[in-house]
Each structure stands twice: as C-alpha cells, then as structure tokens.
Amino acid sequence: MTKNQFIHQMEMELRKLSDVEREDILRDYSEYFDIAGQEGKKEEAVAAALGSPRQLAKELLAQYHMERVEGSATAGNLLRAVFAVISLGFFNLVFVLAVVLVLAAIILTGWVAGAAFVLSPLLVIVGAIVEPVTYEMFAMFFSLGLCGLGLLILVGMRTVTKLAGKGLIRYLRLNMAIVKGGSADA
C-alpha cells in the first residue's frame, strides 16, 4: 500500500471526526511516511509496519470518544465511547457489551424502584377515590413510608449512577489497553 492509499483509507475511516482533528491526524501520518522515506524506507514497508488503516482509525476513534467522555460524561458521549471500544474487536462485543447491559439493567431497576416507591401514595389516593369504602389508614401510612424510602433510593441512585459511569470509563480504558496489547495500567 502506498502513502496516498494509506492516507486516503485513513481519511475515509476518520470521517466521523471534525475536519480539524482529521487533518491533524492525517498530517501526522503523512509526516511519518515522509520521515521514513528520507531514511530510505519504501512506502509499502512503512504502511505494513503501521498496520491496517482501518484498525488504526478504530483505535483513534475509540481514543477520541474516551477523551470526550472524560471531559463531559453525558449519556450520549458514554454510549459513543462504548460503541467505539466495542468496534475494536469481537472480544469487546462480549466483554464490554455484557458489562454495559448488566450495569444499565441494575441502574434502571434502581431508578424505577425509587420512582415507584415515591409514587405509591398516589396509588393509595386513587384507590380511595375509586373505592372509598376500602380506604385504610394503614395503606396510606405504609405508602408514605415507601415514599420516604423511594426518595432515599433516588438520592442513592444518583450517586450510584455517577460512580457507575466513572467505573465504566475506567473499564473501557482497561479494555482498550488490553485490546491494543499495552499494559493494563492505562
């Protein structure tokens, strides 16, 4: 593969990046080819040493999305980072996606349970309106207790969600390091 073919394929794979970032990366690889050429290396040998432009682009995109999620940990940025890391290899489909789905299920369950507990007094009130004969004070006090517990759960879930997001980011970093063949201390 020649320098132009390599750069063109990288450009196509990095089209999701902004123009400025893409041009910066392509300039770096172009300079790498130029420096290697000055040292007497052939373009084909340099391209072979660099590896697949597609895989390099996937790693660069994953790194880019990880940096974005560390700067601003929104749900959208986190999902883009997860999918970018999953795209690095089949291994990640199993190990990253499984962790993300389990974590999402646990967090969603906590939020839904907290919200349901908070709304329980409304169900008792609606029940009392629909069938006023069966209204019981015990049900109302029990539902108020559940409401208080629900508020505590929701406050706790806010902290758990933040910690889970940070933990997921660390797990994605570790996973990227393992897939790249680097040290797991990343």
Side-chain angles (χ1 to χ4, degrees):
M1 178 179 295
T2 66
K3 170 187 172 182
N4 289 337
Q5 291 170 329
F6 186 92
I7 298 295
H8 177 71
Q9 192 169 357
M10 283 285 287
E11 184 175 15
M12 297 307 296
E13 296 293 331
L14 295 173
R15 65 186 172 273
K16 294 179 183 175
L17 294 178
S18 70
D19 292 339
V20 173
E21 291 168 337
R22 184 176 51 246
E23 291 302 320
D24 187 40
I25 291 170
L26 295 175
R27 190 176 326 108
D28 288 344
Y29 279 97
S30 182
E31 287 175 10
Y32 185 78
F33 272 96
D34 293 342
I35 291 169
Q38 291 171 358
E39 294 174 356
K41 296 178 183 172
K42 297 197 179 285
E43 289 181 354
E44 291 80 9
V46 174
L50 286 173
S52 165
R54 172 174 274 173
Q55 188 62 30
L56 281 172
K58 285 180 182 180
E59 290 174 7
L60 290 167
L61 284 171
Q63 184 67 33
Y64 168 76
H65 287 299
M66 288 302 298
E67 289 171 2
R68 280 192 64 191
V69 78
E70 287 170 348
S72 172
T74 64
N77 284 345
L78 190 57
L79 280 176
R80 282 187 282 281
V82 165
F83 287 120
V85 172
I86 287 174
S87 75
L88 291 175
F90 180 74
F91 164 82
N92 289 359
L93 181 63
V94 175
F95 288 98
V96 172
L97 193 57
V99 169
V100 168
L101 290 177
V102 167
L103 197 58
I106 291 169
I107 289 172
L108 181 64
T109 301
W111 281 103
V112 169
F117 284 6
V118 167
L119 297 176
S120 65
L122 293 177
L123 294 175
V124 172
I125 293 171
V126 169
I129 292 171
V130 172
E131 290 192 44
V133 180
T134 61
Y135 178 75
E136 296 180 27
M137 289 296 276
F138 173 76
M140 188 60 182
F141 285 114
F142 185 74
S143 68
L144 287 174
L146 284 179
C147 181
L149 181 61
L151 289 172
L152 289 174
I153 290 172
L154 291 177
V155 169
M157 285 309 299
R158 183 171 182 218
T159 304
V160 167
T161 303
K162 285 182 181 181
L163 290 174
K166 289 178 182 178
L168 182 60
I169 292 168
R170 291 186 69 196
Y171 179 73
L172 292 175
R173 280 255 177 240
L174 171 70
N175 188 279
M176 280 177 51
I178 290 171
V179 169
K180 286 181 177 180
S183 90
D185 298 328

